[in-house]
Amino acid sequence: MKPLASIIIPVYNKAAYIRETLDSALVQSYTNFEIVLVNDGSTDGSLSILQEYADRFPAIVRLINSENRGVSAATNLGIQAASGDYIQFLDADDLMSSDKIERQIQLLSGKGSATIATCEWVNFKDDIHHYRRVLCGVFRDFDSGLDLLLRFWNHQEMMAISSYLTHRDLIQKAGPWDESLTINQDGEFFCRILLKAKEVLFEPKGMVYYRKPGQDNVSQQKSEKAARSLLDSVKSYEKSVLEVEDSIRVRLALKKVYQKYVYDIFPNYRGLLIEARSRMGALGVKENTYIGGPKFQFMSRFLGFENALRLKRFIG
């Protein structure tokens, strides 16, 4: 028997995109899959679209209707309802190539549940035929999930969550999504997943299409609540990773994560900046570390990180 793959899609006010997302899931060449839709209290007509698909494909699509509690709570509901051996998370406005799941399951065949699969993700706005590739060093195999995490943190790279295919056992070991977070919930969750993963295998032909966020999403990410949540997620990184390996290479990478946090919110939210700097100092890393683009790194080498931040702010 082929393993069952569960595609979990939390949905909140994505009526403009959810049909396209569902269609990309339904045309997967891998045939043993289910789709678990979780409506997170949408108010824009998304629910009627989800109900339409549940009615059209009752053997494949399961719909859960919930009050609005946020993406983490909705995703946790989806995990609880899913029956699959493998879990495919899919954002409600992102798309997958039709061979994505099949190729990754082939790649994972014969591997234990602690092996996780990834694939390339690309940016698009409206048309997937006009996508932009992202030059990332994460598009390869890694000997461990920790090695992939350190690549993320040292080079400010990321993996779209839809790129992963994860065994249910790995998710059960890592624990649920943190429902207290309002931003970077996926990064914090997959930090814990990767710390349990013994191997990361990259599938080079399947693809995920990551839709660029709209301006409303970007503005919401700049609020003080979002900044607090982001810092809480970084603190969770620190706690989780140091329990697995407390080493110079890990602390150097964590210092860069805190630097990137300060870089992103400076000069706002003074209390959060003080807390982030304090935690960065407590890591005990004496070596200079540099983040940001080439110009900012150049300024940091000559002026120091904090002075480079001030200059960047001054010149806009």
Side-chain angles (χ1 to χ4, degrees):
M1 290 291 292
K2 291 183 178 180
L4 177 66
S6 296
I7 305 172
I8 298 175
I9 309 177
V11 183
Y12 176 69
N13 288 353
K14 294 293 183 181
Y17 307 118
I18 188 58
R19 288 183 184 277
E20 192 176 8
T21 296
L22 283 169
D23 289 342
S24 85
L26 286 164
V27 298
Q28 289 297 300
S29 57
Y30 189 76
T31 56
N32 193 24
F33 70 90
E34 65 176 3
I35 300 174
V36 181
L37 302 173
V38 184
N39 178 54
D40 185 36
S42 297
T43 58
D44 69 340
S46 293
L47 178 58
S48 62
I49 298 172
L50 301 180
Q51 188 64 62
E52 172 193 332
Y53 276 81
D55 292 341
R56 285 171 58 194
F57 305 99
I60 300 174
V61 178
R62 179 176 180 183
L63 173 59
I64 300 169
N65 188 27
S66 172
E67 63 182 9
N68 179 235
R69 294 170 52 209
V71 64
S72 293
T75 305
N76 285 334
L77 284 175
I79 294 171
Q80 292 163 15
S83 302
D85 305 285
Y86 288 96
I87 302 295
Q88 167 69 61
F89 297 108
L90 183 60
D91 285 346
D93 54 0
D94 292 348
L95 310 174
M96 298 183 290
S97 63
S98 61
D99 58 350
K100 192 267 188 191
I101 292 178
E102 181 174 23
R103 289 184 179 278
Q104 288 185 318
I105 284 185
Q106 289 174 350
L107 185 65
L108 293 172
S109 178
K111 299 289 184 178
S113 62
T115 300
I116 189 170
T118 62
C119 70
E120 183 179 4
W121 60 275
V122 296
N123 280 318
F124 84 107
K125 186 175 181 181
D126 298 311
D127 184 353
I128 64 169
H129 298 100
H130 297 93
Y131 63 78
R132 183 175 65 83
R133 275 199 151 94
V134 181
L135 299 178
C136 278
V138 298
F139 298 149
R140 61 178 176 86
D141 294 348
F142 287 85
D143 292 336
S144 71
L146 174 59
D147 288 339
L148 175 53
L149 273 177
L150 295 181
R151 175 72 199 192
F152 289 157
W153 297 345
N154 281 317
H155 298 275
Q156 291 84 60
E157 294 179 351
M158 61 163 277
M159 188 72 75
I161 66 164
S162 304
S163 297
Y164 296 102
L165 188 69
T166 312
H167 199 282
R168 169 183 289 279
D169 290 350
L170 198 56
I171 290 173
Q172 290 176 337
K173 290 177 182 177
W177 286 51
D178 186 341
E179 297 181 14
S180 72
L181 298 177
T182 59
I183 193 172
N184 199 37
Q185 308 97 321
D186 50 354
E188 191 277 336
F189 173 75
F190 270 101
C191 170
R192 288 182 279 116
I193 289 285
L194 290 171
L195 289 173
K196 299 291 184 182
K198 294 181 179 178
E199 185 180 20
V200 181
L201 297 181
F202 177 72
E203 201 298 300
K205 294 184 178 180
M207 187 174 287
V208 163
Y209 302 89
Y210 180 78
R211 194 182 300 268
K212 292 182 179 179
Q215 189 58 43
D216 288 344
N217 296 62
V218 174
S219 62
Q220 289 172 8
Q221 293 170 10
K222 295 183 180 297
S223 68
E224 184 170 6
K225 181 180 180 181
R228 162 49 66 188
S229 178
L230 182 57
L231 182 56
D232 287 344
S233 72
V234 174
K235 289 160 61 177
S236 178
Y237 288 171
E238 179 184 350
K239 179 180 183 297
S240 297
V241 72
L242 290 179
E243 289 175 351
V244 173
E245 179 181 311
D246 189 346
S247 64
I248 291 297
R249 70 167 186 156
V250 167
R251 287 176 177 265
L252 279 166
L254 284 170
K255 181 181 177 183
K256 288 186 178 182
V257 177
Y258 280 113
Q259 279 184 303
K260 181 63 165 57
Y261 175 82
V262 172
Y263 177 94
D264 285 342
I265 73 163
F266 183 87
N268 301 314
Y269 316 128
R270 183 171 178 270
L272 297 178
L273 286 171
I274 291 171
E275 184 178 352
R277 289 171 178 136
S278 174
R279 296 193 72 94
M280 182 164 55
L283 291 170
V285 176
K286 302 302 181 184
E287 292 90 339
N288 290 326
T289 53
Y290 303 97
I291 57 100
K295 291 182 179 179
F296 185 78
Q297 290 195 27
F298 177 82
M299 289 191 298
S300 296
R301 290 178 188 277
F302 285 91
L303 302 175
F305 177 65
E306 293 289 341
N307 287 331
L309 274 178
R310 295 185 183 96
L311 180 59
K312 178 178 180 294
R313 175 66 176 175
F314 178 75
I315 62 179

